[in-house]
Amino acid sequence: MKQPPLSATSEGGGGGGGEGEGDSVSSSREQHNGLSRINPTTNKSHVEGDGNATVESSREGLPAGRRQSEIIRLTADLHLNNFKNINNSDGSGLSRRWSISSPDFCVGGGTNVAWEYRRPPLTNRRSLSPERSSLGLIETNRISPSQLANSLLQQTADLHLNDVKKSNHSDGGVQSSRRSSLLSVRRATMPEHIHNEKNLGEVMDSNAMRYLPKILRNIYAQRQSRRPSLLGQALLASIDLRLRLHHPKNLPSYQDIRGSILILDLSGFTALGERLRLELGPREGAAEFASRVNETLSTMVQQVTEHWGDVLMFAGDALICLFEEKDCRGTILDDDGNVLSAEQKTRKCVRDCCLSVLGKFAAEKGGITVHGGASHGNIRCFFLGTPSVTPGSCAFLVSGHPLKQSGKLLNKAGRGEVYIDDESAPLTEQMGMVYIKKCQKPPCELISVELDAVMPRDKALLTDQELPIASIGGFEVNAQAMAYLGTLAARRCDQDSQNAMSMLMNELRPVAIVFVGLHEFDDIDPRDSSLLELMNEAFKTLSRITHACNGAVRDMLFDDKGCVFISVFGAHSHEVNPCFDATVCAMRMESALKDLLTRFSLGVSYGECFCGEVGPPIRSDYVVMGPEVNLAARLMGKAPNRSTLVSKRIFTHSQNFIHFQKSEEIQVKGTDVIFHAYIPLTRIERLNSLEIADLQQPFVLMPSRQHAVDSLMQAKERAMSGIPTTAFVTGGPFLGKSRLINEIAEKAASDGFMILKSFRTSLDSFTSFFPLRQIVSGAVIMCVSKGSGNDAGNEISAVNYLVDQNIFNKTDRVNIGSIVPTVADAQLLGLLSGLNPEARTRSIVDSLMKILKLLQPLLIILEGDGGIDHSSWNLLAELMQRASSECPQVMLIVSSRDSPTTTSAASTLKKNAIQVKLTPFEKFETEKYLRVLLGVKNESITIEQQLLDVVHDRSNGCPLFIECVVRWALEKNVIEYVGGSKKMRMLDETSDDVRTAIPRELSNILLAPFNKLPPPLWDALKIASCIGYSFDADLYSTLNQRVDFMPKIRELSTTYDCFKQIGSHFRWKQQAVYEAVKSLLMVNQRQKIHRMIVRAFEQSMINHEEFGDIKGGDFCRLLGRHYALGEDWAGASEQYTRAGDRAMAMFNFNEASKMYEEAIDLRAKMSDQISLRYRLIPTINLGTCLREVARYKEAEALLTRCLNEAQGDLSDGTLDEELYVRALTALAALYQAQSKYDAARRLFERAVPIARNIQESRSSLWLAGNIAGYAETLRKLGDLPQAERHHREALEIRMRAVEEKSCTELELSVSYTQLGCTLAGMRQYEEACEQHRHALELRYRYLDFSHVLVSESLNYYAESLCALGRGKEGISLALHAVEIRKLVFGISHPAYAHALSILASCYQAVGRFFDACDCLEKCLEICEVAFHNNHANVIPNLMNYGNVLVSTGDLEKARMVYQRAIAIHQLNFKEGQQARQLEKCIAEVKILTENIDEMKSSLQNLMNDMPDNAALNRLEVADVESKGTPVVVFTDIGRDVDDELALVLLSALKKKRILNPIAVITTLSPQRERAHLARGSMDAMGMPDVPVGIGSRGGVAEGVELDIYEAAYARSSSCIFESGADLVCHALDSVPSKSAILLCIASLTDVAALIRDHEDLFTAKVKEVVVMGGVIWTESGESLMPDSAYNNICDMSSARFVYKRCQELGVPTATLSRWAAYDCPMPPQLLDEFALTEHMVATNIRAVSKLGIDQLWNKVNLHTSDPRREKIPPRCDVNWFFQTFMKKGETSNERSSSVWLLVEKLNMYDPLAVLLCVPAYRATHFNWQTKVVSGVSHIVVGTSECDTGINARLSLYTEYASLFYYAFLESLHKKHEAMM
């Protein structure tokens, strides 16, 4: 390298050219801070001084983008030479002055500019300060060379950056050539201490570099001093100086560059998040979602980086990328061999990047798509903020035409498209896939450095061209770049805040987002320095406000909405209120911006968003993305200028603290909903605000609370580990029970617990299940929100959703409605009839478990000061007992003031519970709490004893009262700090005794904030205190007319924070305030208020009927309370009686009992004489309720007393006959329930004649009910003729009532049923069957299928059919009755046992004795527990059991059973009663005793052969003419529903005597479970006589069991044949030659075994083999062979064998292929219609079909090599799914968790194969191709997509749909026209 001529002259003393010289600069020269610009007419500059040295360098002009680099380079080399000369000076301490001559810096008009370094005027060198030196003379013997270097670095940087700005933006011409060498530098060695790491500045942590774009890293690059270099120290120091001069020093600043902006946006993340939430649950779903997001964005970042791009920012789920135009990518040729320019190379990189991204997304098929836009041109880079190393203090933005154009192209692009500005057509995913296949790998070979390496943007800053960059030794990023990190990203990488790391994990969490549109800067011109400074000030102001409000600065950027500033709240902390903080921040921003700008707007939204780090290690960021982010941006766009709009959620969460104004209706992009937003106005100023900011102080752990906290935390841990735990928290009022529980709840919530909480008062103990209302309501809503990801809104919508999703059935709705009345269905309330309390509790818990187990881990909290009703205690006890096996991760906390009084059923619950009792604070704890409240943290400051004593005395150690006392004292300024003594003491200037300063009555303190309330509001407070701690606004809205009550309550709630509103309910915020207000009222005042409330209701003419069934009972109960407290006993009694009547009508007998008890007590208080009727009616009703809840002794005592009082008037002739009859029949019904039939008959005999006399109308339902009750008693006693006569009379009365339209036809079903049972007892089975059929038809018509009355009719009708020898028809009815009663009553109820006994009778009738035994054993087991010992109801079941045992051959056991029946009969009946029953038992015992020895041996031999051999021997010879064609079915039922539908179709054809199934063989592992399903399905469809056998594994390997769906009717059975092969042989033996059809709708393994082992039998008996599968022609075309159909590939070798041997043996085959099924699909709506029949098989098929289609969808989405696909052929992929199940040609990118709603067609393969077995259907609906082999025709239906083999699709569909309906309706004996 050449060195320029260098001369230096040193002068020993003062310098010439003093101050005068400095002032006499020529007019052509401008002095600027030590540099002078020389007249452009010369190319040299000479500065005179003490000595001079001149360096000349002439260059040609450079491009504009290089000027700054050249200036920095020249200046750095200049100073390094200067350092060298100083270091080698002769000790004179004088520096050299340099003159730089450069012709290359052009200012305008092509002229040259030179720069001159000029020493400022000097008067005293030794006293020259650094500020005045300005690169002047410095005494080197006092300043080290390294200090001098740093001083020169700083001053030169400040000097040149300002002038470079002017040079950069000149409008003159630029010369295009450059010299080969810029400046020669002497390579002298520099002392080591001048060049050290400290001089280079602090270094940015490498972990944080990934959060910055590459352009920023490179701008702030500095040399990595720790790595070795090949250069000398002097040159390295020069390079260090050049790099530092290149860093932006003074902000704001900007640079112009050229390049391309690419915006890539993703679609489908919202749907993906919802699907994952449903599939995996919230926690696992969020984790998987985070992984998918990270994976997707990482792929995009990788592609951008590999194609020389730079990810500037992650804008939600979009990337904004920069491809800078640089001529540093080597030589690239186009297709014609031409060398590409820098711009062309940049555009090519952008295009290749887009194609690569599109191709990868298309290949992955993950449901996520990308679209984008790219544009090229001049780009402006802005640097804003304050230079520092503090994250968030600076911002880097890009703007310009390319950014705007890219946004427009992005909006233009569709899914899977990217538009580039110089191309008219978009790039597509197909083009991307072609590009990837062509390239095979990305063009990484163009990149000469590591992808994440730091490299200065301008390599000319580093060294001369002759030296390679590698010789420098590497680069790192200066710490000042940290200022551009976002605050969230900075916390993420902060190694010193590990606790904060847990707050920044990838998760879905609720956050608030603020968007600020700075519209004034949308088209900013950076040359306008004032506007640039304004933008910088706006950034700093908004950042400062964000941080002050607990927020984080997310971004400031230019996008399609202009200049936008984004803040996030709640993403980095769980402790703040994000909605409130965000709103306050927006208000402060709005206020600040009004002083700065004229155009801006703000939008604020709140909701669940994905928060987390995304991207690969090379470039990542902490992002916040989700619909709420988009909503905030759109609200910003809709907001008026200089205003703010917030979402409804923000308003909801902040309305208690901020005043809002509702905006005009708006509509935003992305939704069709028109809604109101809200405008924040001002903060709500709290009245009497105190120094204690929060009314509810944070929980402070005191020693007396330590045990309580430890106990509850241990309980929580036990629940988390799967041990259900109960805790009772007790303690007096205001001791902090709620605060303690809330603390535990918060910790539990942080551990993943779902929290369900309710509050009760003493008034609520009257209402059954009231404490559980809010719990259950919250549970159903939470379950829906968790499952669907959507807000259910209310409990009604939630329950409807759960029913629609088959999580709940109708019985569950009734059970939930027992607790939450709003969801009750009045039409289904009859389901509660007949349920005793225990069965009802079990049934409700059954329903609750369905949702509670989905919410685990779960914390249930029951708070309040009132007791808990008995029903709730029983339910809680049952719930926690069952939780161990069904919902183990549950914790129950019950709080109360005193130890709760539980029921006997809940005694175990209380015994095993953890007991936590809170006591008042000790004095030292009061002191500790005082220190917390007063903010005393310094331990040296003490609390004066007098202050402590008075606070502890007034508060009684209650935390709440301590707060109140301190709050009051601070407000009155009676607490002060004495600095000298370091004490907090009490001060009172008005009294000598400071203890009197604080009122002794705490109510005065509690109510002090309300002293200034206007009188009307005080009145409202008093009324509210009389109403209670909580109240329903709907029920008390009538007070609005009189005192404007509810508007005042709302004002007190919003303005004074007195009440908390939840729905229509209001509750006092503080119970202490409620108690204080109530204590102000005298007794007479309270009475007046209650009477005023009563008058308001009376005058409004509102009654309980207007509130309907839901709140009517509450209305009557509450109004009765107001009557009672107003001492109007008559009105109170009347209202409580009405409340009891409504509760009884709702079958809520426990609540009704309490209401009647209240009414009875109140009537006893009445001083006036009341009538006997008025007094006894509630008592009789109470007795009836007690009977219903099995409290027989109490009921008998009450009803006996009522009867005695009612008949006491006989003597004076004033008998109230109707009251007398009511008393008689109520007691008779009680006796009947206790099986005291004689006593009941005597009472009815007295009541019925009187009832006939007093009832004039012959259509009275009341009379019919009494007569029918009498008839039932007679029937139970065995007096059947008299029972028949009375039942016919009751039936005639009811029929007349129907004719007169005084009742519905449904009333007739009661008489039909009772008469039918009576006739059956008289063995008049035909008429009995007819009566039960009438009853069943009426109940089908008017009642829900799951109604208990429907199950009653199903039972009796099945029993009648069985008695008529038609037991086969009765089995389906009995099975449905069993299932209904199992759901309604549970499996331990006698009603369920009765249904089992009838099912047993039906099984016995068809010869399935062992199945009958199983049912009867379960029945007897239930009865032994449900009834008292030796109850008469057990006798019929014992007789049936004995009869069945005889049939099985177990004669000794049968005799024992009959003997026990005799003993029970003798204990329960007198001589002559039920004589026929006794005679039969005695006769059976006698017969068994006589023959037992003789029959024992022969029956033992029979036992050895049963069940298989005996059953096989029972197979009758098939009658082809009368029963239809024999069919043997091979099925893999349970895989999908078409096998079961084939059996349904087969049952219809069997009933029509077209086909006769003689055996059903289940194959495909697990074949035994499939046999259980087939047995149950065929029983339910009326084919209990068709045998089922267990076949082979169907080609499935040992140890592998495939899926099988569940069904409630699937059951093991002794009549299932263990050897399906033997069953087939016996079945074929029973048919004539060549008459049987083998129907193969499964694997052909079993058919192959039949042919191999019994070829002769096969050829002799089988006339045709019908196969659901597929065939192809062999290559020779002479025979058929199986194709890749599923049934074939299960066991391909067997399939080939079967087809081969059939063709060789001459047995015809008929093959139905999938093409036929595809051409005649079944719409899903048909399955919905089948389910309307309520048949158990139909409803299960519909549910399984939905589940099956979803599972198939999941499997076809798996890779073909994935074993989870099981044996699905590779051709069955996603496209196949859409073509198969959607409309023809339809495709979709949807990837939702359930595709059921999108499905248009279901392919029912196997039912078509069944129809193919019938010649008439074959000829009508199918066409086929025939292959003749050896003279035998083999047909194939459906050989291709074009030849499907279907003649008329609609005709075939109509045919099989009608057959399905026929099968379902016939098996239930329903009328067909009702469903068709």
Side-chain angles (χ1 to χ4, degrees), residues 46 318 652 807 838 946 1006 1054 1085 1118 1172 1293 1374 1479 1569:
H46 183 79
T652 301
I807 298 174
E838 291 79 10
Q946 195 174 33
L1006 292 168
T1054 56
Q1085 290 177 314
L1118 294 174
L1172 183 66
I1293 294 173
E1479 292 170 0
E1569 284 73 13

Side-chain angles (χ1 to χ4, degrees), residues 256-270:
D256 276 354
I257 61 175
R258 280 188 63 81
S260 291
I261 293 292
L262 168 63
I263 304 178
L264 295 173
D265 195 8
L266 296 170
S267 300
F269 268 128
T270 301

